[in-house]
Amino acid sequence: MSTTAANTIERPSALSRFFRGLGLLRESPIGMFGAALVLFWVTMAIIAPILPLLDPLAAIMPFQKIGAVAPDGTTFWLGTDDKGRDILSRVIWGSQRVLVWASLATVVAYFFGMLMGVAAGYLGGWWDEVISFIGNVLLSFPVMILYILIVSYLGASGINIVIAVTFASAPGIMRIVRGLILDLRTRDYIAAAQTRGEPAIRIMLVELLPNARGPLIVDACLRLGYTVVAIATLGFLGLGLPPPDPDWGLMIKEAVPLGSFAGHMMVIPALALSSLILGFNLLADGLREISLRD
Amino acid sequence: MLILILRRLGSMVLIMLVVSLILFAIFETDKLAVAGKVLGPYSSTEQREIWLEENGYNQPFFTRYVIWAGNAMRGDFGQSLQLKVPVSQVLWPRLANTGILALCLFAIMIPLSLFMGVLAGMKEGSFQDRAITVFSVLTTSIPEFASATLLTAVFVFGLGWLPGTSSMTAGFSFKELVLPVLVLLLYDFGYITRMTRASMAEVMNSQYIRTAILKGLPYQRVIMRHALRNALIAPFTVIVLQLNWLLSGVIVVEVFFAYKGFGKLLLDAALFGDIFVIEACTLVAVFVAVASQFISDIGYTYLNPRIRFS
Amino acid sequence: MNNQEQPVLDIKDLCISYYTRAGEIPAVVDFSLTVKPGETIGIVGESGCGKSTVAMAIMQHMGSNGGIKSGSIKFKGRDMTQMSDEELRQLRGSEVSMIYQEPFAALNPSLLLREQLMEVPLTHEDINREQAYERAREMLANVKLPDPDRIMNSYPHQLSGGQQQRVVIAMGLLSKPALLLLDEPTTALDVTVEAGIVKLIADISRKYGTSQIYISHNLGLILETCDRVFVMYSGEVVEEGTIDSLFTWPRHPYTHGLFGCIPLPTADKNAAPLKPIRGQLPLPHERPQGCYFGPRCDHFQAGRCDGDKVDIEHVTGSAEDHMVRCLRWQEIDHTKEAPGGEAKEAMELGGPVLEVNQMKKYYEVIDSSMKALISGDRVKYVKANEELNFNAREGETVAIVGESGCGKSTFAKVLMGLEGGTDGEIKHDGKDVSETLVRDRTDKQISSLQMVFQNPSDTLNPSQTIGGQISRVIKKFGVASDKDEVFNMVMKLLDTVKLPRDFYYRRPRQLSGGQKQRIGIARAFAGNPSTVIADEPVSALDVSVAAAVTELLMDIQRENKTTLLFISHDLSVVRYLSDRIVVMYLGHIMERGTTEEIFEPPYHPYTEALLSAVPIADPEVTKREILLEGNLPSVMNPPKGCPFCTRCPRRIGDICDNEMPPERQVTDTHRIKCHIPIEELQKVEPVIHVPAPEERLGKPEVPASTH
Ligand SMILES: Nc1ncnc2c1ncn2[C@@H]1O[C@H](COP(=O)(O)OP(=O)(O)OP(=O)(O)O)[C@@H](O)[C@H]1O
Ligand code: SF4
Ligand code: SF4
Ligand SMILES: [Mg+2]
């Protein structure tokens, strides 16, 4: 073979690989439906600023029913709340808020969880003992109690919610990663890397972690869902993102006492929230189904 | 086996120690703040100092911790700041109320979800499997307070069949339990169902089930004798661990329906800053969680002959 | 055998497909087979050719996505494909039973074996529990399990692999079935344990008159167990016949090729090397037009072999049921072909490269049992390697042979620096490396000592490209650092291992097992090592692929004058490629010497048993039968004296149980560790007898140089 042959070798682009991966999802109708739901809310969150929405904070007319039209001709597609704010606009802006904080919290939790998990799984010994013990201590708190403790202690704010979620989720992520690593580290390619004297840090981050990504993507999807629930629940309990910016949990909390005559105020955010979480759960299910097939 | 139990017990005690130490450190390191909480925001520094002296707060941190932990173990958690009664006096009745809720929930959930899970996992990919799976994802996707909202909208405001609060002011009433249990059930049953399904499906795909079928055993025997026993080991541990989850979920539900349980106590305390109640509730909750972990570990070992006899 | 008798099983034109999202996969096409009472049929073929599919079709248990498209399976005259579920259920386990590849997975982990055994007669016959218990117990004794009562009351995990397989066999035989299906029943077992099971299987039809279908990828095992054999290739039978006729005069180019791929005693790495079949098995939906074997066949004739589908026809002039599916079988004169590939030049051996002196490796384990806790004796030593002594010269191939748990892999780990040795030294290129962990070794030391791994499925990192993985090695060892230079070196390595250059950007998932092993070899040789240690590099590959990889490995070795440490459990491969052999058992070297010395008396009693256990696919080769009783002891709990004393057929008395035997010197190169004096051992008969070429029926042209 001539050396010129080498130059004719074509390298598949990263983009094409990504799209092929996405195409696989087509084979799971459930996963597709989940992806559509998630995508819908993500799109809403992104384009919220350019949508022709009413000001989510402006008090216009209280207690308007779904589809009511104001004298000046503005339509309240989903009605208004007790303070006269447009519910449609609040729900969409609320989606942006919850998605931003949930993603941020999940990413941070994953960062710590993965580091701990890889170290515990690969280095073993004392590392494992200590990290696992820390994990066990944190996991012994019922999650909601941990949230309440941290948020009530630090005060209710976005950053503190991120901290709370990190404390609550990182140990779980750590356990999953640790389990995956314990399995992966027995593979021959790890032995091969060890026998050519690769440093531990490279083995952990380059040789091991990328191969754990399959189950982790599924888990991340589920966890995003949990985090959305957690943020909304904290909001509902009065420990969430501070008002007046729209927050789904808080919207429901405020609507419950008025439920007997303004039911739409509580039902609409509840549906929005449920559909987003359903989206994450179904997407995770679909991804799992696909990964199991290959 | 004995060694295992001892070791697990050891780690359980260790975790309780660490958790209590953390709690104590968080809430009671700053002595003046404690006194401030007790005596109210308008108390003077001198008053606080006196209170600290009287209540033995001027001892070294660890001595205080040991005394505090000793008291806690005897059930003495101090005086509630909000309710002005000893914490233990409110804690136990509230726990009992939550216990009733949990009991009703488990009594319905366990048989239901195991049955559904086994049914779904028995024939992977069949209609019954898909239906059960989709239904259980759907219900677990609705957070407790959202489903509480939706159910209230329908049954309380719409149909008017059930009361919207469960404070039981007029004595115990089953009717008031229905919605809280239903909400918890909807949220939690899906998880166990899916777990059981996965476990059952895995067992049904295993080679020993193939062996059993190819031995010509009746299908019923294959399921009852060979599959169930192996398939239910994993769900068993999940069910026990579910106690931990329940403690989370119960807070929301109790708050929503104003049910006088443990969760509402904790949340009220957290919002008020009632540190002694928070400490007590957290300790109890963590104890329940750790104990259920212990039971689940031991149970798993016991159910699994591969570990039991090695 | 009476030909008028009704066949037990009669399969006609069976077509089986799997339905996947990629479409229909015709796994088996036009398969026909008859089994007469008491007959044992062998089905042999490489992975994926459809053997298991046929077996599961006979059991009528195809899984959710498999289905029989056409054809019939008549059991004692009744078509099983037309039976109702209830009729099938009554047949399964009572008339037809099956033995599986992995006995452990086939037994229910949480039921007592008693239950699992007794339920068979209880379901199919009208007897009570006591009778069922008696029956089960009796059958356990019949499959030569010691202490049946204890086994009845055990769980599967409490038995060894060999015992588990015996239990499964007993379970299959409990209802005195007319037909027993065995799907690779010994693949998961150690060689000496396998030999015992094979003997048991061979006795079954004699004792119970049971017909059997024995499925295997190993021609040698088929030879030892069967009366008639079917060779499958890509979903169809390409040749069938009696053992004698087919093994002596294989007619189909594929069958013939298979024999060229296995290291028979007549093969020799220099004079008569293996002759791999090129290419690989086509996937069911990629089968070529005409003859499925066409693209790999040396006798392919365009216009003829790629025309219509080839029918199977009778081989005139041979035994009456010898059939072959080849258009040109009459034209091809296999005797004209040398049995092996082209002769290669023998290699000169250089100076010593590796010296292992008194190397020991003990693992500390904490005993957590109650007893140990009370006695305070908590730390135990597992002696994974005990006083290893041997050396290897430049260009030499030294094989380390032994069964599971003998310490082969531990030695590899210490040598590679993944773990430190406990005592003794390993000198590589003159320097002691036994206590230097890999992170303390210089790049030079690391790159001069590389390894080829066993398992193709995980020897390569699935998330990195092939090119990236090889480049990394080149850069890591500082062979080259310039980007283009590295790239060109990778290209050259791909050429060396005979893979297309565009594999550079592929990922391991897109490669077949043999291709992955080739990349593994390329990676090991990327840093120009002086020594390569190969841990069972071909044991997971199909025979035709294994032969190619073996040859490749040896070619590269020859070119680079590399020292090769070849770890294996298979004595026939080892005999073929190694210059010297080290036989290990439970961490000890029992015997070492040149290949000739190992294969001829005096033998160590363990070597003797090992030699006898290896199946040889040549009906004219005879072996002395030596069966080992009992299980391999655990390394955690080895016998006090000679490690082999619990199973040794030549045990001479208490001295064996209590004292470690001395290492006796036979020649300069040959040592045996046994209490029996060399003179006695010298007197035993050779285990394997290979007839002289002129006495042979089948293959007259064996090169004289082999023996
Ligand atoms: N459940 C299945 N779904 C789809 N294809 C399958 C399935 N089972 C087997 N196949 C395909 O059918 C063909 C024959 O498989 P089979 O398992 O019968 O081969 P085999 O000869 O037993 O191989 P081995 O030696 O590896 O056991 C293969 O190409 C395989 O990939
Ligand atoms: S039919 Fe042709 S291609 Fe097929 S085996 Fe015979 S000679 Fe080879
Ligand atoms: S020392 Fe004794 S037990 Fe060991 S191999 Fe020799 S004869 Fe057998
Ligand atoms: Mg098979």
Side-chain angles (χ1 to χ4, degrees):
Chain A
M1 237 173 269
S2 67
T3 33
T4 50
N7 307 328
T8 61
I9 296 172
E10 228 173 285
R11 170 180 211 152
S13 75
L15 208 65
S16 76
R17 295 222 329 269
F18 175 78
F19 277 111
R20 225 197 14 238
L22 210 64
L24 278 179
L25 198 56
R26 257 197 320 238
E27 277 154 31
S28 160
I30 285 189
M32 282 294 278
F33 183 61
L37 280 176
V38 171
L39 219 61
F40 169 76
W41 283 114
V42 170
T43 318
M44 283 299 146
I46 293 173
I47 64 172
I50 58 167
L51 283 178
L53 293 173
L54 296 168
D55 181 352
L57 302 181
I60 307 169
M61 286 172 79
F63 296 122
Q64 293 304 303
K65 293 277 172 237
I66 294 178
V69 183
D72 64 356
T74 33
T75 314
F76 305 112
W77 293 108
L78 296 178
T80 60
D81 65 6
D82 55 331
K83 302 198 177 64
R85 298 171 296 192
D86 180 46
I87 292 182
L88 174 67
S89 152
R90 286 181 71 73
V91 164
I92 290 178
W93 280 101
S95 75
Q96 188 189 57
R97 210 163 177 225
V98 76
L99 278 173
V100 166
W101 286 112
S103 320
L104 186 67
T106 310
V107 167
V108 175
Y110 251 89
F111 178 78
F112 287 105
M114 283 205 295
L115 281 189
M116 285 162 67
V118 175
Y122 183 70
L123 300 175
W126 277 108
W127 283 93
D128 189 17
E129 298 272 331
V130 171
I131 294 177
S132 293
F133 184 75
I134 296 175
N136 283 341
V137 168
L138 287 174
L139 282 172
S140 64
F141 286 91
V143 225
M144 199 36 76
I145 293 184
L146 198 59
Y147 285 139
I148 291 176
L149 279 183
I150 295 176
V151 176
S152 68
Y153 184 72
L154 297 177
S157 78
I159 296 297
N160 290 344
I161 286 182
V162 171
I163 294 176
V165 170
T166 304
F167 270 101
S169 296
I173 298 169
M174 184 275 287
R175 270 202 189 170
I176 295 176
V177 175
R178 177 176 172 274
L180 289 168
I181 297 293
L182 280 182
D183 174 32
L184 289 174
R185 64 173 291 179
T186 61
R187 304 291 161 90
D188 284 346
Y189 57 85
I190 298 304
Q194 289 169 334
T195 56
R196 62 170 186 264
E198 299 284 5
I201 189 85
R202 185 187 151 94
I203 294 183
M204 288 193 276
L205 299 184
V206 179
E207 305 275 344
L208 282 170
L209 254 194
N211 292 312
R213 65 175 184 267
L216 290 186
I217 291 175
V218 174
D219 178 72
C221 255
L222 284 176
R223 233 167 254 283
L224 263 169
Y226 294 151
T227 310
V228 170
V229 177
I231 292 178
T233 307
L234 283 173
F236 174 78
L237 296 179
L239 289 165
L241 298 166
D245 280 345
D247 174 79
W248 288 353
L250 194 61
M251 285 169 77
I252 297 176
K253 175 190 167 74
E254 289 169 352
V256 169
L258 312 167
S260 54
F261 58 94
H264 68 285
M265 261 178 71
M266 65 181 201
V267 171
I268 290 164
L271 286 178
L273 178 64
S274 305
S275 69
L276 176 59
I277 293 157
L278 181 68
F280 280 123
N281 285 349
L282 291 179
L283 180 60
D285 247 30
L287 289 175
R288 185 178 11 232
E289 198 181 318
I290 288 165
S291 68
L292 283 187
R293 269 197 228 152
D294 282 353
Chain B
M1 188 77 188
L2 194 65
I3 297 263
L4 187 99
I5 293 180
L6 287 179
R7 195 178 292 159
R8 290 269 179 251
L9 268 179
S11 79
M12 185 174 153
V13 170
L14 196 61
I15 288 184
M16 282 311 293
L17 278 179
V18 172
V19 167
S20 60
L21 195 61
I22 293 175
L23 273 180
F24 189 72
I26 289 180
F27 288 109
E28 305 203 14
T29 309
D30 186 352
K31 296 183 280 190
L32 277 178
V34 176
K37 290 244 153 118
V38 176
L39 301 175
Y42 305 115
S43 54
S44 66
T45 318
E46 292 85 67
Q47 285 173 311
R48 296 185 190 187
E49 296 285 1
I50 295 168
W51 184 85
L52 287 175
E53 188 56 46
E54 275 174 359
N55 289 278
Y57 269 79
N58 288 335
Q59 282 162 299
F61 178 80
F62 275 100
T63 322
R64 270 165 55 210
Y65 166 72
V66 171
I67 293 172
W68 173 82
N71 286 341
M73 254 186 291
R74 271 184 279 114
D76 174 7
F77 297 99
Q79 186 93 4
S80 162
L81 306 178
Q82 189 181 16
L83 306 168
K84 313 284 184 223
V85 289
V87 174
S88 51
Q89 212 174 343
V90 276
L91 183 63
W92 303 125
R94 293 296 196 101
L95 260 180
N97 283 347
T98 299
I100 295 173
L101 198 59
L103 211 66
C104 294
L105 174 67
F106 280 159
I108 305 172
M109 179 172 74
I110 293 173
L112 182 74
S113 54
L114 289 186
F115 180 71
M116 302 267 269
V118 167
L119 210 61
M122 224 157 72
K123 281 209 176 77
E124 220 185 337
S126 63
F127 174 74
Q128 72 207 36
D129 177 23
R130 292 201 179 274
I132 291 174
T133 310
V134 168
F135 182 66
S136 62
V137 185
L138 205 69
T139 56
T140 26
S141 294
I142 309 177
E144 281 124 338
F145 66 97
S147 59
T149 310
L150 299 174
L151 289 176
T152 308
V154 175
F155 291 106
V156 181
F157 301 137
L159 302 170
W161 288 352
L162 292 168
T165 53
S166 313
S167 51
M168 313 236 168
T169 31
F172 182 81
S173 139
F174 260 117
K175 231 177 165 180
E176 296 189 9
L177 267 182
V178 175
L179 275 181
V181 169
L182 193 60
V183 168
L184 286 171
L185 183 66
L186 276 179
Y187 191 64
D188 284 351
F189 111 101
Y191 187 65
I192 301 182
T193 303
R194 286 153 63 78
M195 194 73 195
T196 314
R197 175 199 172 270
S199 170
M200 184 73 185
E202 192 189 320
V203 167
M204 289 307 285
N205 279 328
S206 72
Q207 296 199 20
Y208 57 83
I209 291 299
R210 185 179 74 183
T211 310
I213 294 173
L214 296 188
K215 274 200 261 186
L217 303 182
Y219 190 65
Q220 211 181 345
R221 186 174 168 90
V222 173
I223 299 288
M224 303 304 282
R225 229 25 232 160
H226 286 265
L228 278 189
R229 172 127 197 204
N230 292 293
L232 292 184
I233 294 178
F236 164 79
T237 60
V238 174
I239 287 173
V240 179
L241 294 180
Q242 200 71 8
L243 268 174
N244 190 338
W245 269 96
L246 183 71
L247 285 174
S248 286
V250 98
I251 298 177
V252 179
V253 170
E254 289 182 0
V255 169
F256 193 102
F257 293 105
Y259 183 78
K260 289 210 181 81
F262 164 85
K264 187 157 166 40
L265 179 69
L266 174 62
L267 185 76
D268 290 343
L271 292 175
F272 185 84
D274 193 345
I275 49 176
F276 301 125
V277 177
I278 300 180
E279 284 170 0
C281 287
T282 312
L283 278 182
V284 168
V286 172
F287 177 78
V288 172
V290 177
S292 58
Q293 175 79 53
F294 173 76
I295 294 172
S296 129
D297 280 356
I298 299 299
Y300 183 76
T301 336
Y302 184 74
L303 291 176
N304 207 337
R306 226 192 286 184
I307 307 178
R308 188 165 20 133
F309 295 98
S310 64
Chain C
M1 227 161 287
N2 183 354
N3 280 341
Q4 259 64 55
E5 233 174 315
Q6 189 189 31
V8 175
L9 188 76
D10 188 8
I11 303 180
K12 278 247 151 52
D13 305 325
L14 186 66
C15 292
I16 308 166
S17 287
Y18 289 104
Y19 300 90
T20 66
R21 57 200 162 120
E24 180 184 334
I25 297 178
V28 170
V29 279
D30 287 337
F31 183 91
S32 300
L33 163 150
T34 45
V35 186
K36 295 182 212 119
E39 194 180 31
T40 302
I41 299 287
I43 300 181
V44 70
E46 294 181 283
S47 182
C49 69
K51 303 174 302 259
S52 301
T53 306
V54 168
M56 292 327 278
I58 298 172
M59 296 308 288
Q60 288 290 299
H61 185 73
M62 301 289 304
S64 54
N65 67 338
I68 292 177
K69 276 186 73 182
S70 60
S72 63
I73 304 174
K74 286 211 176 87
F75 179 79
K76 291 190 173 164
R78 294 159 65 207
D79 191 350
M80 292 177 80
T81 58
Q82 307 299 328
M83 285 186 194
S84 70
D85 283 350
E86 182 55 25
E87 284 172 307
L88 278 174
R89 189 185 68 68
Q90 284 169 4
L91 223 58
R92 289 175 184 154
S94 70
E95 293 268 31
V96 196
S97 25
M98 180 151 181
I99 315 292
Y100 314 85
Q101 174 164 350
E102 283 153 23
F104 182 63
L107 293 168
N108 191 329
S110 61
L111 276 185
L112 284 173
L113 289 173
R114 181 179 61 199
E115 279 299 315
Q116 304 190 45
L117 285 162
M118 280 161 57
E119 67 186 357
V120 177
L122 282 174
T123 307
H124 294 291
E125 288 161 54
D126 192 16
I127 58 176
N128 63 29
R129 286 187 71 84
E130 282 79 53
Q131 288 165 312
Y133 186 92
E134 239 352 273
R135 276 273 285 286
R137 223 191 70 91
E138 209 176 294
M139 193 50 87
L140 285 183
N142 284 344
V143 296
K144 304 227 166 51
L145 277 167
D147 200 356
D149 283 306
R150 183 182 65 81
I151 289 181
M152 288 288 273
N153 292 303
S154 306
Y155 287 97
H157 72 272
Q158 294 168 310
L159 308 185
S160 73
Q163 289 175 326
Q164 286 167 359
Q165 193 59 293
R166 283 176 196 264
V167 171
V168 176
I169 292 175
M171 201 153 82
L173 291 174
L174 261 177
S175 279
K176 309 245 156 42
L179 179 65
L180 191 62
L181 292 168
L182 304 108
D183 191 355
E184 312 244 12
T186 60
T187 313
L189 305 174
D190 267 318
V191 209
T192 54
V193 179
E194 170 181 86
I197 302 277
V198 166
K199 174 90 167 66
L200 174 67
I201 291 169
D203 286 344
I204 289 173
S205 55
R206 209 169 323 127
K207 203 157 158 192
Y208 300 99
T210 315
S211 304
Q212 295 176 77
I213 296 181
Y214 188 99
I215 293 175
S216 176
H217 62 275
N218 186 330
L219 282 164
L221 285 175
I222 295 280
L223 170 69
E224 290 189 2
T225 44
C226 302
D227 304 317
R228 222 144 48 90
V229 56
F230 288 68
V231 181
M232 282 188 80
Y233 181 79
S234 190
E236 61 182 14
V237 174
V238 291
E239 185 164 3
E240 59 171 280
T242 58
I243 292 284
D244 278 340
S245 161
L246 190 137
F247 276 67
T248 321
W249 294 285
R251 297 293 184 172
H252 195 281
Y254 174 64
T255 319
H256 199 257
L258 278 182
F259 284 104
C261 288
I262 46 182
L264 293 172
T266 47
D268 178 279
K269 72 169 161 178
N270 297 316
L274 301 183
K275 197 174 147 218
I277 305 175
R278 64 194 144 85
Q280 62 198 61
L281 193 77
L283 292 173
H285 47 276
E286 291 169 354
R287 285 180 192 134
Q289 184 75 28
C291 174
Y292 295 164
F293 187 58
R296 302 177 72 186
C297 179
D298 285 338
H299 305 280
F300 178 83
Q301 236 179 25
R304 196 160 155 215
C305 301
D306 52 6
D308 289 339
K309 208 175 160 319
V310 183
D311 283 328
I312 196 160
E313 53 183 289
H314 180 226
V315 178
T316 40
S318 72
E320 69 178 294
D321 54 1
H322 195 148
M323 312 273 278
V324 64
R325 194 187 294 269
C326 169
L327 294 169
R328 306 190 56 207
W329 69 267
Q330 277 160 313
E331 302 156 34
I332 305 169
D333 185 1
H334 288 299
T335 57
K336 284 233 175 70
E337 296 168 29
E342 276 167 45
K344 294 168 185 176
E345 219 165 293
M347 210 177 350
E348 289 283 315
L349 300 185
V353 172
L354 187 75
E355 288 170 67
V356 182
N357 291 322
Q358 301 288 324
M359 209 286 283
K360 286 184 192 164
K361 172 69 187 170
Y362 293 175
Y363 287 106
E364 261 178 40
V365 288
I366 305 290
D367 188 344
S368 61
S369 71
M370 212 52 189
K371 210 169 91 203
L373 202 67
I374 291 165
S375 66
D377 228 3
R378 297 206 55 197
V379 181
K380 270 182 132 183
Y381 289 99
V382 174
K383 300 180 179 170
N385 284 167
E386 183 73 282
E387 301 200 357
L388 301 192
N389 286 304
F390 69 94
N391 48 45
R393 293 159 63 188
E394 188 192 28
E396 190 175 34
T397 305
V398 176
I400 304 177
V401 189
E403 296 173 280
S404 64
C406 76
K408 297 171 293 191
S409 303
T410 304
F411 172 71
K413 275 188 198 151
V414 176
L415 182 61
M416 301 302 298
L418 294 179
E419 276 163 16
T422 308
D423 201 5
E425 59 173 13
I426 301 177
K427 271 198 182 151
H428 182 243
D429 290 335
K431 282 203 200 72
D432 183 12
V433 294
S434 70
E435 271 150 48
T436 333
L437 288 183
V438 68
R439 60 167 176 268
D440 302 323
R441 295 186 185 178
T442 62
D443 273 357
K444 179 95 195 47
Q445 276 178 321
I446 296 175
S447 67
S448 67
L449 194 56
Q450 280 294 297
M451 183 154 175
V452 178
F453 295 89
Q454 169 172 13
N455 202 340
S457 66
D458 62 35
T459 186
L460 301 178
N461 192 326
S463 56
Q464 295 171 6
T465 60
I466 302 300
Q469 302 192 43
I470 304 179
S471 314
R472 173 71 198 165
V473 182
I474 296 174
K475 282 187 253 171
K476 179 88 193 14
F477 294 151
V479 183
S481 51
D482 175 62
K483 222 174 148 205
D484 288 338
E485 206 183 328
V486 172
F487 186 82
N488 284 330
M489 286 188 71
V490 177
M491 290 298 137
K492 219 175 281 150
L493 277 167
L494 284 176
D495 293 347
T496 317
V497 296
K498 303 202 175 81
L499 289 176
R501 292 182 157 203
D502 60 0
F503 272 35
Y504 189 95
Y505 290 116
R506 296 244 185 123
R507 269 155 217 277
R509 163 164 46 86
Q510 297 158 292
L511 270 57
S512 72
Q515 290 168 335
K516 286 184 200 161
Q517 264 335 49
R518 283 165 191 260
I519 299 291
I521 292 173
R523 184 178 59 188
F525 281 90
N528 297 320
S530 65
T531 305
V532 166
I533 175 164
D535 190 354
E536 309 244 15
V538 297
S539 63
L541 302 176
D542 270 320
V543 271
S544 69
V545 182
V549 174
T550 311
E551 289 304 313
L552 175 77
L553 188 60
M554 292 198 314
D555 285 346
I556 301 179
Q557 180 204 12
R558 217 173 252 135
E559 219 163 276
N560 299 315
K561 288 197 178 301
T562 319
T563 306
L564 185 64
L565 283 189
F566 193 91
I567 296 180
S568 178
H569 67 276
D570 183 349
L571 266 178
S572 41
V573 179
V574 159
R575 149 196 216 129
Y576 167 69
L577 54 70
S578 57
D579 303 307
R580 277 189 302 140
I581 296 177
V582 173
V583 181
M584 289 184 69
Y585 188 80
L586 285 188
H588 292 257
I589 294 185
M590 303 310 271
E591 181 172 4
R592 64 194 158 106
T594 64
T595 306
E596 291 77 48
E597 286 167 344
I598 296 290
F599 277 79
E600 249 134 60
Y603 301 117
H604 186 279
Y606 175 60
T607 315
E608 196 182 353
L610 213 51
L611 284 174
S612 160
V614 178
I616 296 173
D618 185 339
E620 290 171 72
V621 171
T622 47
K623 285 192 305 186
R624 202 149 46 80
E625 188 177 275
I626 303 159
L627 283 181
L628 294 186
E629 305 274 319
N631 301 309
L632 241 95
S634 129
V635 219
M636 295 281 287
N637 216 344
K640 197 165 127 234
C642 170
F644 191 48
C645 69
T646 53
R647 301 167 77 199
C648 179
R650 294 194 185 275
R651 208 180 70 98
I652 48 174
D654 287 347
I655 184 169
C656 293
D657 297 342
N658 297 319
E659 265 174 59
M660 182 59 75
E663 192 173 74
R664 295 179 199 267
Q665 183 156 359
V666 188
T667 66
D668 258 2
T669 47
H670 191 191
R671 313 277 158 104
I672 292 178
K673 202 184 251 180
C674 177
H675 285 299
I676 305 179
I678 300 294
E679 303 75 59
E680 302 261 321
L681 291 173
Q682 195 79 61
K683 287 185 207 140
V684 304
E685 288 275 301
V687 177
I688 301 175
H689 174 73
V690 184
E694 55 277 9
E695 297 167 16
R696 284 191 163 249
L697 291 164
K699 303 182 186 98
E701 279 163 53
V702 178
S705 63
T706 23
H707 280 276

